[in-house]
Amino acid sequence: MSLSHLPATPESLIQASEAKAPSEAIAILYRVIDNPSSSPEALRIKEQAISSLSDLLRQENRAGELQNPLNQLRPFLSLIPKAKTAKIVRWTRAEKRTFLRQRIEAKLAALLMESKEYSEALSLLSELIKEVRRLEDKLLLVEIDLLESKLHFSLRNLPKAKAALAAARTAANAIYVPPAQQGVIDLQSGILHAEEKDYKTAYSYFFEAFEAFNALEDPQAVYTVQPQPKLGLQHQGPGLDAMKAVADAHSKRSLKLFEAALRDFKAQLEEDLIVHRHLSSLCDTLME
């Protein structure tokens, strides 16, 4: 398959339909989906490309390729509105495309979480988790168990957040988990331990997550661990500067420095809900 994308236009869909072999058509459709354009017309064309692609993969007994939506379908799904994603879910149900539907439903739940519609996201996941457990799709199960843990944490239900994370770890132990996914598991573990004020254990998990993300050059690395003399150098930026400012205020027991850090790094310190929770506790400590 070519690494370059094709224009998301009707002409590209015609090119796929006129391909001499199914494998050639599949390659063309993948390249259309890979197109980075997010214009309304491009999104409409990519919807049609996904429909045609799933038909061809089924006909060619290659439906298993849809196990890798992270590289092909997720970039597209992240661009389209929640309502459009829900429409695609209804289409996959009508067409009985179970494998694809489950992954799109997981993505829809993630979109609902991002828009803070936590109850609706949990309602969607509750049925999905039961279905995926029956099918024993361990990799997808890890993903949705992690998502459930994050949702419960957002609702301040720590016991259920821990239970969902434990389920994710159990499923992960039975399969090979990509390093990025393992990093997410460790990051969530660190977040939950920090919420219980078990900071030593939280730090160890954050550091494990940092190593996973750092090896992949993932920008999440800067959020997972306190500054390190050598490892922190390549992550210079506002995120690291914010951590340094808070650490300096804490070491000097200075409420004035703490308030200055909140003012200078508002995006990094107040808009992140997890960081904001711990900073509120730190503020109370400094005021005492």
Side-chain angles (χ1 to χ4, degrees):
M1 187 183 303
S2 173
L3 296 178
S4 62
H5 61 75
L6 284 174
T9 61
E11 288 74 19
S12 293
L13 295 181
I14 293 173
Q15 182 182 347
S17 67
E18 294 178 347
K20 295 180 179 179
S23 59
E24 182 183 348
I26 288 171
I28 291 170
L29 292 170
Y30 270 129
R31 292 170 64 193
V32 172
I33 296 170
D34 280 341
N35 187 291
S37 174
S38 58
S39 69
E41 175 64 13
L43 294 180
R44 186 182 66 81
I45 293 297
K46 285 191 274 189
E47 282 184 55
Q48 295 180 39
I50 287 177
S51 175
S52 299
L53 176 64
S54 47
D55 285 338
L56 282 169
L57 289 175
R58 188 188 72 248
Q59 293 169 14
E60 293 298 301
N61 294 318
R62 291 171 56 181
E65 287 189 19
L66 289 174
Q67 290 185 58
N68 194 21
L70 291 175
N71 293 332
Q72 297 290 346
L73 299 182
R74 283 197 173 187
F76 164 73
L77 293 173
S78 67
L79 294 173
I80 62 178
K82 179 184 64 181
K84 185 70 73 174
T85 305
K87 180 180 178 182
I88 296 176
V89 169
R90 291 193 294 272
W91 170 78
T92 56
R93 283 186 181 278
E95 296 293 322
K96 296 182 179 180
R97 289 172 167 80
T98 302
F99 197 83
L100 179 59
R101 172 183 56 78
Q102 291 169 346
R103 279 149 182 79
I104 295 178
E105 283 185 332
K107 178 59 183 177
L108 178 57
L111 290 172
L112 290 168
M113 183 179 73
E114 289 174 9
S115 60
K116 296 182 172 55
E117 298 178 56
Y118 303 129
S119 297
E120 189 176 346
L122 279 173
S123 178
L124 177 60
L125 279 185
S126 62
E127 292 302 317
L128 182 59
I129 290 173
K130 293 176 185 176
E131 183 180 352
V132 174
R133 283 208 176 106
R134 288 197 300 269
L135 297 175
E136 295 192 349
D137 186 341
K138 298 293 187 182
L139 192 58
L140 179 59
L141 190 58
V142 171
E143 180 182 338
I144 58 180
D145 279 335
L146 273 173
L147 183 57
E148 184 186 22
S149 179
K150 293 175 182 178
L151 283 165
H152 284 305
F153 178 77
S154 297
L155 292 169
R156 306 303 292 269
N157 192 330
L158 191 59
K160 286 190 176 181
K162 291 170 64 178
L165 179 61
R169 284 193 172 279
T170 299
N173 288 337
I175 58 171
Y176 168 75
V177 176
Q181 189 77 312
Q182 185 60 52
V184 175
I185 293 173
D186 290 332
L187 177 57
Q188 182 68 3
S189 299
I191 289 170
L192 297 187
H193 279 285
E195 186 70 10
E196 294 182 310
K197 300 189 185 307
D198 182 3
Y199 296 119
K200 288 186 177 179
T201 305
Y203 176 86
S204 67
Y205 278 118
F206 284 143
F207 192 80
E208 289 293 328
F210 173 86
E211 289 191 316
F213 293 137
N214 191 56
L216 297 170
E217 298 183 352
D218 190 312
Q220 291 186 83
V222 73
Y223 300 110
T224 58
V225 71
Q226 296 175 12
Q228 299 295 312
K230 294 181 179 179
L231 297 179
L233 293 176
Q234 67 190 85
H235 298 287
Q236 294 282 354
L240 198 59
D241 292 340
M243 287 190 284
K244 288 178 180 178
V246 171
D248 186 46
H250 180 263
S251 66
K252 295 177 180 177
R253 299 287 177 176
S254 172
L255 184 59
K256 183 178 180 179
L257 288 176
F258 180 73
E259 291 174 341
L262 291 180
R263 182 183 64 250
D264 296 340
F265 300 101
K266 183 176 181 179
Q268 290 75 28
L269 300 178
E270 291 195 1
E271 295 178 7
D272 185 309
L273 294 179
I274 296 169
V275 172
H276 184 67
R277 286 185 191 179
H278 292 287
L279 289 181
S280 297
S281 176
L282 176 58
C283 182
D284 293 339
T285 299
L286 291 175
M287 292 185 71
E288 292 173 0

